[in-house]
Amino acid sequence: AVGYTLDEIANDITKATPASFEPALDYVVVKVPRFDFAKFPATPDHLGTTMRSVGEAMAIGRTFPEAFQKALRSLETGRSGLNADPGERDVLESGDAALWAKVACPTPDRPFAVAELLRRGADPHEIHVASGIDPWFIDQMCQIVEERVMLESEAVTPTMVRRAKRMGFSDRQLAYLWGMSEAECRRTRLEWGIGTTFKTVDTCAAEFEAATPYFYGAFEDEDESAVSGRPTVVVLGSGPNRIGQGIEFDYCCVHAAMALRDAGYDTVMINCNPETVSTDYDTSDRLYFEPLTVEDVLAVLAVELPEAVVVQLGGQTPLNLAADIAAAGYRIAGTAPDAIDAAEDRKRFSLLCRDLGVPQPPHGTAVSVAEAVEVADQLGFPLLVRPSYVLGGRAMRVVYAVDELAGYLRELHGAAPGSEVDLSSAPVLIDRFLEAAAEVDVDAVFDGVELLVGGIMEHVEEAGVHSGDSACVVPPMSISAAAQEEILRHTEALARGLGVVGLINIQFAVRSDEVFVLEANPRASRTVPFISKATGVPIAKVATRVMMGASIEALRLEGLVADRPTAGFVAVKEAVMPWNRFPDDDNVLGPEMRATGEVMGIAGDFGTAYAKALLAAGHRIPSSGTVFYSLADSDKRAGLVGARRFAELGFRILATLGTARFLADEGIAATHVDKVGEGTWDPVRLIEEGKVDMVVNTPRGRRARGDGRLIRRAARRAGIPCVTSVGGGIAVATSLQSDRDGVLAVSSLQERHGWT
């Protein structure tokens, strides 16, 4: 358009466009980002030029209001659409001034503030001026709000319900507005003949008739779904990526579709994440691009009438739907929902472990602050505290004193200091935290008779760092043969005791060859892709076939299960952290997961494999210079190994006074610095002046975290590596001792190890 005015361009377009022009598509697509600001509480949830979303959901509808509301409920953030549901309490309780402030500042919750102001009678033009949102979108939201007002004020009729469904209102929203249960609302709607119809997505841009197996739900008169009549299995995807549930579960779902197709089944995928391979319309025989809610999934199942529904592979999202799906009369493939609940319910799982003779760390539950303090007195500090049924370590914390414990519980429930906290509806779980213990992950498949172990993965960071944030290595480097044998015994005992049919992931803590089970998950885990690539065994495919009734022995004869010798090489998984996107948050690793991705390195030894993983994750580790060491008292003995290796590599070591004295007593030269904010040898100042090339800082307790936070933030501002665990420090030093040429060397695993 260079050299033309806007009027000239508009005139040309008008002349070239027929008066009867209509868009080729008869549907609307809406994509909405998924945020996880709760994982980064120090960072304001304001949106700007720095991307901070961790995933996204997409929805398709006949109109924008329908697609928009479907997209919002696809996010799985507790909202069922544009307000008008139990998740709207925050906006209902906000004053007008607070809502206008939310409208003026872009945040993930701004659309809901806009809708509430419109409901209260605000001028759409004023909202446009305050927000900068295009008037067309405000008008569309206004239509949704006007429909909501009518739904609240008029008698319920079939005509009203059909109109509301075409505006994207979910059964949960309607039930909320009409004061009934969601099940009752759905039953009434279906009795009135108002059911979901499925329309085909045009993948041919209207150039010729499309016949692709790619559908979305609507409330029209004609249904375009094309059920084949062949045996069908439905696979539930994992929804929008978020911290704790990411692309690793989509990997498992895609492999399930491949395995089911090879076994002669028609595969049906339900998912709403446009970033994933599962939502490629040629991955499965039929794809339904729909939200993963009870209403939307049951609508697909009513059309497909599958032989089974796979819920084990998509993370927590499908598991949350399993009970409703089973109650509707559909078979859940593999492990029964009750067995999954038995693993997640602390009391049931503890009783099972006791009966099986599987040791756990001392633990308890509490429904009040006073009861939590009583449990703490019995167990002793430090403690690992968490809410029931968490995903990705959400809100887990290690506490070291009673006041920290009480403060955590009040913070968790938003209670004022000194007030009583009622935990009866969601008891907190309290475990004795095993300091200086190694953590181990095991992925396995059980068919009721035989256990197929994918691998034993040792975490690089010690217990207390979430498995999703910790690097891990296979085969394990420091776990004794006796401890590994005990791990395998406990794995089989738990798989058998829980009645697992399919995948199981178990996390153990190992200290001085004592093995404790931390948790068991009878489902896919985030390490399945890693261990599958490290061993060459397609764990997800094997598990899918087992869930459908095949035995491991039969799959071995079929060739799907084969021995893949791993001796002679090491595989390392390293987490990718988003600290540059959240600069106000502390980068110390802990029990709450915050990684947004992962990489993998393979080599003949651990040091080279870990060096590859660090390089792949974007870390630039200096091969010489000055390393600053600050170790908590409980970490000093274990941290000695890493410090000695850095000294052997020729690094100059600066350290806090206590750490410097300890290193000197052990024969390692170290220069002590001043306390933060004091003297010319202030470590923060030294980092800012470029006199430090790397930081190893392991915090313990509240004061250590306060002092160390300034050091870690300075390291991040300076762009130098900052390691916050003893295991991480040792691993980094080991990587520097490796063959640097080996990091860039390439070899074939198939040729080197005889794989076929």
Side-chain angles (χ1 to χ4, degrees):
V2 176
Y4 291 84
T5 67
L6 291 177
D7 288 340
E8 289 172 331
I9 295 172
N11 288 335
D12 289 343
I13 292 175
T14 302
K15 294 174 184 176
T17 304
S20 61
F21 171 79
E22 292 182 0
L25 301 179
D26 57 358
Y27 52 83
V28 177
V29 181
V30 173
K31 177 182 78 70
V32 182
R34 176 66 151 83
F35 297 92
D36 253 344
F37 281 104
K39 296 280 189 178
F40 305 94
T43 301
D45 63 350
H46 299 167
L47 308 182
T49 55
T50 297
M51 178 179 168
R52 287 176 176 158
S53 65
V54 294
E56 63 190 29
M58 186 179 108
I60 308 173
R62 301 293 275 182
T63 64
F64 177 82
E66 182 179 32
F68 186 47
Q69 294 223 81
K70 287 176 71 175
L72 291 177
R73 73 174 181 259
S74 297
L75 289 175
E76 301 177 44
T77 57
R79 305 233 186 218
S80 303
L82 190 65
N83 292 346
D85 67 14
E88 73 173 356
R89 181 188 301 176
D90 57 339
V91 294
L92 289 178
E93 295 175 352
S94 297
D96 286 358
L99 290 174
W100 280 107
K102 290 181 179 181
V103 166
C105 179
T107 71
D109 291 331
R110 180 159 69 168
F112 307 106
V114 169
E116 179 60 18
L117 281 176
L118 289 170
R119 191 178 74 88
R120 297 182 187 186
D123 185 344
H125 178 71
E126 292 182 7
I127 293 176
H128 159 64
V129 172
S131 65
I133 298 174
D134 189 282
W136 188 88
F137 292 109
I138 296 175
D139 176 69
Q140 296 294 305
M141 285 189 273
C142 196
Q143 292 180 38
I144 297 172
V145 171
E146 289 170 352
E147 181 67 25
R148 179 237 173 100
V149 172
M150 286 191 286
L151 291 170
E152 289 180 295
S153 60
E154 298 180 8
V156 182
T157 65
T159 299
M160 175 185 290
V161 172
R162 185 177 295 278
R163 188 182 65 225
K165 298 304 289 184
R166 288 179 171 177
M167 291 285 287
F169 282 85
S170 65
D171 288 344
R172 188 166 182 255
Q173 286 174 288
L174 298 178
Y176 169 75
L177 294 175
W178 293 335
M180 61 177 67
S181 70
E182 182 179 350
E184 183 182 0
C185 179
R186 180 164 51 253
R187 184 170 56 252
T188 301
R189 170 173 63 80
L190 293 176
E191 287 174 355
W192 285 341
I194 304 171
T196 306
T197 56
F198 291 97
K199 313 299 286 185
T200 305
V201 173
D202 185 355
T203 56
C204 303
E207 293 183 13
F208 49 86
E209 184 177 356
T212 50
Y214 180 8
F215 307 100
Y216 67 95
F219 286 84
E220 301 290 327
D221 297 325
E222 182 182 357
D223 191 288
E224 299 173 1
S225 58
V227 179
S228 68
R230 294 188 295 271
T232 298
V233 178
V234 171
V235 180
L236 300 190
S238 56
N241 289 354
R242 83 284 319 248
I243 295 175
Q245 186 168 303
I247 204 71
E248 61 275 6
F249 294 106
D250 194 71
Y251 167 96
C252 294
C253 292
V254 171
H255 276 236
M258 295 176 180
L260 290 166
R261 182 178 289 173
D262 291 343
Y265 294 98
D266 264 16
T267 58
V268 172
M269 187 73 65
I270 309 176
N271 203 2
C272 57
N273 188 338
E275 302 170 296
T276 57
V277 178
S278 67
T279 52
D280 290 350
Y281 63 82
D282 54 355
T283 293
S284 52
D285 292 294
R286 290 181 293 283
L287 165 67
Y288 290 83
F289 215 110
E290 289 289 277
L292 287 157
T293 69
V294 173
E295 172 186 348
D296 299 288
V297 168
L298 289 182
V300 175
L301 299 184
V303 172
E304 289 290 345
L305 299 175
E307 291 197 1
V309 182
V310 175
V311 301
Q312 275 192 35
L313 304 179
Q316 194 64 39
T317 294
L319 294 180
N320 292 340
L321 305 175
D324 289 300
I325 292 171
Y330 299 101
R331 175 194 162 208
I332 301 297
T335 307
D338 183 68
I340 296 172
D341 182 75
E344 293 185 327
D345 185 294
R346 174 51 60 95
K347 289 185 178 179
R348 294 182 66 187
F349 185 64
S350 295
L351 289 173
L352 176 65
C353 288
R354 186 189 65 186
D355 293 343
L356 296 174
V358 176
Q360 292 181 281
H363 60 273
T365 60
V367 295
S368 68
V369 174
E371 191 171 326
V373 171
E374 184 178 338
V375 172
D377 288 339
Q378 296 172 356
L379 301 182
F381 290 97
L383 297 168
L384 178 65
V385 193
R386 54 180 165 163
S388 305
Y389 299 95
V390 297
L391 175 69
R394 177 73 190 100
M396 292 174 64
R397 188 174 301 175
V398 177
V399 298
Y400 292 83
V402 170
D403 60 339
E404 280 189 68
L405 175 61
Y408 162 80
L409 295 175
R410 293 192 177 94
E411 177 186 321
L412 184 66
H413 291 269
S419 62
E420 185 56 40
V421 179
D422 181 14
L423 308 174
S424 56
S425 61
V428 299
L429 312 179
I430 305 174
D431 294 82
R432 180 73 168 87
F433 177 58
L434 301 176
E435 291 192 292
E439 193 162 333
V440 170
D441 260 270
V442 175
D443 280 320
V445 179
F446 189 62
D447 63 3
V449 177
E450 182 180 352
L451 182 77
L452 173 68
V453 177
I456 299 176
M457 295 158 278
E458 180 182 357
H459 293 200
V460 170
E461 285 77 14
E462 58 274 10
V465 174
H466 192 279
S467 60
D469 287 354
S470 177
C472 70
V473 56
V474 61
M477 295 289 100
S478 64
I479 308 300
S480 69
Q484 291 187 49
E485 289 178 5
E486 189 171 355
I487 287 169
L488 295 178
R489 284 197 300 272
H490 294 333
T491 299
E492 182 165 356
L494 286 169
R496 196 178 297 277
L498 286 167
V500 169
V501 180
L503 276 163
I504 184 169
N505 168 266
I506 306 180
Q507 295 175 17
F508 296 93
V510 181
R511 187 171 65 182
S512 301
D513 283 352
E514 286 186 290
V515 176
F516 301 89
V517 64
L518 300 177
E519 63 179 71
N521 299 296
R523 56 167 174 78
S525 74
R526 66 180 52 87
T527 50
V528 165
F530 167 69
I531 198 64
S532 297
K533 290 175 170 64
T535 63
V537 178
I539 299 297
K541 287 184 177 180
V542 173
T544 301
R545 295 290 303 278
V546 167
M547 284 188 278
M548 294 306 298
S551 69
I552 293 173
E553 178 59 28
L555 296 178
R556 186 177 290 110
L557 295 174
E558 190 178 307
L560 189 60
V561 176
D563 292 330
R564 303 286 193 182
T566 58
F569 76 93
V570 176
V572 173
K573 176 184 76 71
E574 174 64 301
V576 177
M577 310 300 295
W579 303 126
N580 60 329
R581 302 285 180 175
F582 302 92
D584 295 326
D585 275 87
D586 196 353
N587 64 340
V588 64
L589 302 180
E592 181 159 354
M593 180 178 171
R594 291 188 283 184
T596 53
E598 61 188 40
V599 296
M600 177 175 170
I602 300 178
D605 61 273
F606 170 73
T608 306
Y610 191 63
K612 285 185 174 183
L614 289 173
L615 186 64
H619 300 296
R620 299 295 180 266
I621 307 299
S623 57
S624 61
T626 300
V627 57
F628 173 76
Y629 251 82
S630 175
L631 301 175
D633 288 341
S634 57
D635 290 331
K636 285 184 170 58
R637 178 59 55 184
L640 184 65
V641 176
R644 178 167 283 120
R645 290 180 184 174
F646 278 114
E648 292 170 351
L649 288 163
F651 278 84
R652 180 192 183 197
I653 297 179
L654 301 180
T656 52
L657 181 60
T659 301
R661 286 176 175 171
F662 174 80
L663 295 178
D665 290 343
E666 297 294 331
I668 300 174
T671 302
H672 77 80
V673 299
D674 297 316
K675 291 183 178 180
V676 174
E678 299 178 11
T680 57
W681 284 75
D682 175 355
V684 171
R685 179 180 173 184
L686 294 174
I687 292 171
E688 291 174 343
E689 292 177 352
K691 296 178 180 177
V692 175
D693 301 290
M694 184 164 56
V695 170
V696 178
N697 170 261
T698 67
R700 285 289 186 275
R702 208 164 31 182
R703 172 173 170 74
R705 287 179 182 268
D707 292 343
R709 181 186 181 93
L710 297 175
I711 295 172
R712 294 188 292 273
R713 291 185 69 177
R716 192 158 51 176
R717 286 196 302 269
I720 63 174
C722 180
V723 182
T724 62
S725 69
V726 169
I730 295 172
V732 169
T734 304
S735 74
L736 293 173
Q737 290 180 322
S738 64
D739 177 13
R740 308 309 293 172
D741 293 334
V743 174
L744 302 178
V746 177
S747 62
S748 166
L749 292 175
Q750 288 81 0
E751 293 175 356
R752 183 173 181 180
H753 304 291
W755 292 1
T756 58

